[in-house]
């Protein structure tokens, strides 16, 4: 198998969602900037893999057609000699899926230089999924209509269940989640690309309105717009283009797992009956696959960027990625060990918590941050430890997951 | 359904999730005759990856009692077209004897406890000039207490 590497990456600043803007034009600018920083022209690349983009809630076709074809639109704008262009969806894990496909194409030896793009401009307000007008599937989307379940409903239930299973009070997990938000806000304040730069205290977070008990408003990330571009190549090519190639040690994707007992976002029900697996098995699987692919264990991870649609997600990602007693996660967070001077820095970008969520593009913002961190270019946010291996985890509706492990290769 | 009457027409918010009209409506699910996998809402295709999928799942009715696995207390009104879900209200995850966990509106949002016994209740969700729209709720069983 051919070794692959990240050569360069760019992102836009994340901004408020729901204002029209020329998505393909913005992505085309990012694409050119990413290629030029590696000294390449559009003619030099072999393929473009892009995510699709936002879902206008009031659009009868559910996904508008232009939003489904960003790869081709960008190819037309930057000019190519008819290269492979593909569009990928996987809800909030879309960009991780696009990256995994591009990585597989290079590892298979079929392509040498692939550009991965992602963009999103989500509708305003709390994100929720509901049934399409033409594609009816009572399993998906209907929980909102029938039982009033929104996305934070699921996160609130997970958080409450974790408190119950670990014998903690609701106040305890609320305080833990508020601690996470307060910590991440300090890094968001230092990131010029983040949408939110305000520093919050634990008290500020707990004073914000309760939206889905136990989640307060400031524990939930806002929908946003933004985009990113990442150039990946085979390792030999990468070494010719940069003196700091970052090896793609693993890229995996995941989907609904039969037997997962935790209520899955946008679904009515769990599946698998009496053969139920331990909770969040489907969160762990792409991570375990990635560890195997990279030939490492959890202990080798120096830094993480985790998809924190809510503060609970940070807790759950640490639980699942580390595979230890959940009490260890609580201790890690409360002792400040997830900060930049800690033993496992997490979301030094400020996270989705500070960026807001540009759903389809989110993983590219995380790749960008890991690239900066591994190359020692994160400035005031730079982790204060030697970094070799970074991991990002993505998670989204419908049971979509992705894990990427990046390693210093110089 | 006893105790639920109106001069308006009473219709389920979505067809096919529970029996209606019925004196004692139950949730409609499906079970694979080969592997026994249960699905709610019902499906025409088995969802067990290790099953041969050589038979079509059969319709079954789910148990009316389950255990509260977790819950959310939702604190703001939803926007149109779902503004009939008026806050505050609770959504619970109910673990049924069939082994699946399903989401449901709960009849109340106070005094809830994980592990409580809960019972199905088809009830009014909202009404307009012509119809009363029904959905399925779960409510704590009287002196239900904690599951042993
Ligand atoms: Zn079967």
């Amino acid at each position: 198998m051919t070794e692959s590497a990240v050569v360069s990456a760019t992102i836009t600043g994340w901004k408020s969602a729901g204002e029209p803007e020329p998505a393909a034009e913005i992505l085309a600018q990012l694409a050119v900037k990413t290629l030029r920083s590696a000294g390449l022209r559009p003619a030099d690349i072999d393929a473009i893999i892009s995510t699709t983009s936002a879902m206008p809630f009031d659009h009868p076709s559910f996904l508008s057609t232009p939003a489904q074809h960003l790869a081709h639109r960008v190819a037309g704008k930057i000019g190519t000699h008819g290269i492979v262009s593909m569009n990928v969806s996987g809800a909030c894990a879309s960009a991780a899926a696009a990256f995994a496909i591009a990585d597989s194409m290079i590892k298979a030896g079929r392509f040498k230089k692939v550009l991965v793009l992602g963009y999103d401009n989500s509708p305003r307000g709390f994100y929720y999924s509901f049934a399409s007008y033409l594609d009816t599937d009572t399993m998906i989307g209907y929980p909102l209509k029938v039982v009033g379940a929104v996305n934070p409903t699921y996160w609130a239930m997970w958080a409450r269940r974790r408190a119950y299973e670990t014998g903690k009070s609701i106040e305890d997990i609320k305080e833990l989640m508020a601690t996470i938000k307060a910590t991440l806000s300090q890094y968001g304040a230092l990131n010029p690309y983040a949408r939110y730069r305000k520093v919050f205290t634990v008290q500020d977070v707990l004073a914000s309105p309760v939206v889905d008990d136990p989640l307060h408003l400031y524990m939930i990330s806002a929908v946003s717009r933004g985009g990113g571009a990442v150039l990946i190549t085979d390792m030999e090519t990468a070494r010719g283009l940069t003196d700091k190639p970052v090896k793609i040690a693993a890229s995996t994707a995941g989907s609904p797992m039969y037997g997962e007992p935790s209520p899955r976002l946008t679904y009515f029900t769990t599946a698998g009956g009496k053969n139920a697996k331990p909770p969040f098995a489907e969160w762990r699987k792409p991570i375990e696959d990635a560890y195997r692919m990279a030939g490492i264990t959890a202990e080798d991870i120096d830094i993480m960027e985790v998809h924190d649609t809510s503060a609970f997600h940070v807790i759950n990602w640490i639980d699942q990625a580390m595979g230890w007693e959940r009490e260890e996660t609580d201790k890690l967070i409360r002792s400040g060990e997830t900060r930049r001077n800690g033993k496992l820095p997490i979301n030094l970008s400020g996270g989705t918590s500070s960026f807001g969520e540009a759903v389809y593009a989110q993983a590219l913002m995380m790749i960008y941050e890991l690239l900066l961190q591994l190359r020692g270019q994160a400035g005031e946010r730079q982790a204060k430890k030697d970094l070799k291996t970074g991991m990002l985890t993505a998670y989204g509706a419908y049971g979509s997951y992705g894990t990427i492990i990046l390693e210093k290769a110089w | 359904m006893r105790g639920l009457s109106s001069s308006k027409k009473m219709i389920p918010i979505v067809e096919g999730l529970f029996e209606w009209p019925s004196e004692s409506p139950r949730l409609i699910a499906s079970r694979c005759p080969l592997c026994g996998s249960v699905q709610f809402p019902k499906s025409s295709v088995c969802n067990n990856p290790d099953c041969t999928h050589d038979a079509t799942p059969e319709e079954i009715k789910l148990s009316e009692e389950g255990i509260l696995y977790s819950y959310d207390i939702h604190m703001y009104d939803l926007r149109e077209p779902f503004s009939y879900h008026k806050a505050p209200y609770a959504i619970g995850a109910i673990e049924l004897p069939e082994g699946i966990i399903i989401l449901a509106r709960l009849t109340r949002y106070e005094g809830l406890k994980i592990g409580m016994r809960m019972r199905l209740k088809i009830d009014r969700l909202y009404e307009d000039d012509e119809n009363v729209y029904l959905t399925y709720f779960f409510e704590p069983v009287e002196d239900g207490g904690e599951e042993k």
Side-chain angles (χ1 to χ4, degrees):
Chain A
M1 200 164 62
T2 310
E3 271 198 0
S4 56
V6 177
V7 173
S8 56
T10 55
I11 58 171
T12 64
W14 259 225
K15 301 190 190 88
S16 70
E19 289 164 33
E21 64 177 13
E25 193 80 11
I26 290 164
L27 269 185
Q29 290 168 6
L30 288 178
V32 168
K33 201 169 149 193
T34 304
L35 292 178
R36 290 315 294 155
S37 68
L40 297 179
R41 305 160 303 157
D44 298 319
I45 55 171
D46 303 312
I48 297 175
I49 311 295
S50 179
T51 68
T52 58
S53 179
M55 309 178 231
F57 286 156
D58 53 357
H59 197 286
S61 73
F62 192 52
L63 275 166
S64 62
T65 308
Q68 291 177 17
H69 298 91
L70 285 171
H72 301 86
R73 290 166 63 198
V74 171
K77 279 184 185 290
I78 64 173
T80 77
H81 295 299
I83 59 173
V84 170
S85 293
M86 292 178 187
N87 302 283
V88 179
S89 274
C92 317
S94 293
F99 185 93
I101 291 169
D103 182 38
S104 303
M105 292 162 81
I106 290 170
K107 284 193 164 83
R110 193 162 160 203
F111 297 94
K112 286 193 177 303
K113 305 184 198 78
V114 181
L115 194 56
V116 180
L117 305 176
Y119 174 85
D120 197 48
N121 189 353
S122 301
R124 285 170 187 277
F126 282 110
Y127 216 109
Y128 49 59
S129 165
F130 66 88
S132 157
Y133 292 79
L134 297 177
D135 172 10
T136 59
D137 176 359
T138 46
M139 200 78 81
I140 296 285
Y142 285 84
L144 174 65
K145 182 174 185 173
V146 177
V147 303
V150 293
N151 288 358
T153 295
Y154 294 81
W155 312 330
M157 290 193 299
W158 299 340
R160 188 180 296 280
R161 181 73 191 182
R162 186 184 188 274
Y164 170 82
E165 287 179 359
T166 54
K168 301 284 177 66
S169 67
I170 285 297
E171 286 65 37
D172 182 87
I173 198 157
K174 279 191 178 196
E175 192 262 344
L176 191 61
M177 292 192 288
T179 301
I180 290 164
K181 171 64 185 178
T183 303
L184 295 182
S185 72
Q186 293 173 13
Y187 297 114
L190 298 173
N191 194 332
Y193 292 103
R195 176 177 165 194
Y196 297 100
R197 314 269 176 81
K198 185 172 175 328
V199 175
F200 293 94
T201 64
V202 170
Q203 290 70 30
D204 292 336
V205 179
L206 293 175
S208 69
V210 176
V211 289
D212 283 278
D213 195 7
L215 296 173
H216 289 246
L217 184 63
Y218 293 164
M219 297 171 184
I220 296 172
S221 69
V223 291
S224 296
R225 70 183 204 267
V230 178
L231 173 66
I232 71 176
T233 71
D234 63 285
M235 184 60 83
E236 196 189 328
T237 301
R239 290 195 190 286
L241 297 173
T242 173
D243 54 3
K244 288 186 172 175
V246 171
K247 181 183 165 183
I248 305 168
S251 64
T252 64
S255 60
M257 182 188 279
Y258 186 72
E260 169 62 57
S262 299
R264 180 188 306 122
L265 195 60
T266 69
Y267 286 71
F268 260 126
T269 183
T270 62
K274 311 280 187 204
N275 305 317
K277 297 174 164 63
F280 302 108
E282 69 183 36
W283 290 51
R284 276 192 306 283
K285 181 171 184 298
I287 295 174
E288 286 167 357
D289 288 348
Y291 287 159
R292 261 192 303 279
M293 195 186 280
I296 64 170
T297 66
E299 285 158 26
D300 296 311
I301 301 298
D302 297 316
I303 185 169
M304 286 205 290
E305 281 284 318
V306 301
H307 197 127
D308 57 322
T309 333
S310 80
F312 178 75
H313 289 68
V314 175
I315 299 171
N316 201 28
W317 280 126
I318 300 171
D319 285 347
Q320 305 314 323
M322 292 298 115
W324 56 23
E325 289 298 319
R326 288 177 282 191
E327 185 60 31
E328 295 301 314
T329 299
D330 296 22
K331 277 189 214 154
L332 189 84
I333 294 165
R334 288 207 169 94
S335 61
E337 296 288 357
T338 63
R339 293 170 178 271
R340 76 183 186 114
N341 56 353
K343 62 182 176 197
L344 183 61
I346 293 174
N347 289 8
L348 298 188
S349 61
T352 298
S353 171
S354 304
F355 271 72
E357 188 178 31
V359 176
Y360 289 74
Q362 206 64 18
L364 298 186
M365 159 302 241
M366 297 153 83
I367 291 170
Y368 181 72
E369 179 69 16
L370 285 183
L371 206 61
L372 291 181
Q373 291 287 346
L374 292 172
R375 286 175 168 171
Q377 297 166 347
E380 291 177 283
R381 301 191 316 282
Q382 184 65 43
K384 288 186 169 177
K385 63 183 277 196
D386 283 338
L387 299 177
K388 177 168 183 274
T389 305
M391 177 164 80
L392 81 82
T393 59
Y395 155 84
Y398 310 106
S400 55
Y401 304 86
T403 304
I404 296 168
I405 297 177
L406 301 177
E407 278 176 18
K408 236 176 183 171
W410 69 91
Chain B
M1 170 104 190
R2 288 177 294 276
L4 187 61
S5 67
S6 170
S7 54
K8 296 178 190 173
K9 197 175 170 201
M10 288 192 277
I11 58 173
I13 182 77
V14 168
E15 288 290 338
L17 297 178
F18 52 86
E19 297 172 290
W20 193 263
S22 165
E23 272 298 300
S24 53
R26 296 207 284 166
L27 294 174
I28 301 167
S30 59
R31 179 163 49 214
C32 175
L34 299 176
C35 71
S37 189
V38 172
Q39 295 186 73
F40 173 81
K42 70 174 179 180
S43 173
S44 60
V45 183
C46 180
N47 63 345
N48 177 358
D50 297 314
C51 176
T52 60
H53 288 62
D54 281 338
T56 304
E58 296 159 351
E59 185 174 304
I60 59 163
K61 309 297 180 293
L62 290 175
S63 302
E64 292 158 277
E65 275 195 26
I67 302 296
L68 188 59
Y69 175 87
S70 193
Y71 61 95
D72 161 36
I73 305 170
H74 182 82
M75 299 300 286
Y76 61 94
D77 292 341
L78 295 185
R79 65 187 179 197
E80 290 295 342
F82 306 109
S83 55
Y84 51 82
H85 287 291
K86 298 285 180 207
Y89 61 89
I91 301 131
I94 313 292
E95 197 169 6
L96 296 175
E98 286 81 359
I100 60 172
I101 293 172
I102 67 169
L103 298 194
R105 271 284 297 266
L106 305 183
T107 53
R108 63 181 207 220
Y109 63 92
E110 283 169 327
L112 298 169
K113 249 178 127 174
I114 289 177
M116 275 180 141
R117 280 171 56 215
M118 308 292 285
R119 190 173 172 81
L120 178 69
K121 184 185 185 187
I122 306 301
D123 209 344
R124 175 191 176 282
L125 183 58
Y126 74 105
E127 57 192 88
D128 58 21
D129 291 342
E130 289 162 26
N131 302 314
V132 175
Y133 297 91
L134 306 174
T135 196
Y136 65 93
F137 291 76
F138 272 78
E139 66 178 344
V141 175
E142 300 274 330
D143 62 58
E146 295 247 347
E147 175 78 339
K148 293 295 176 294

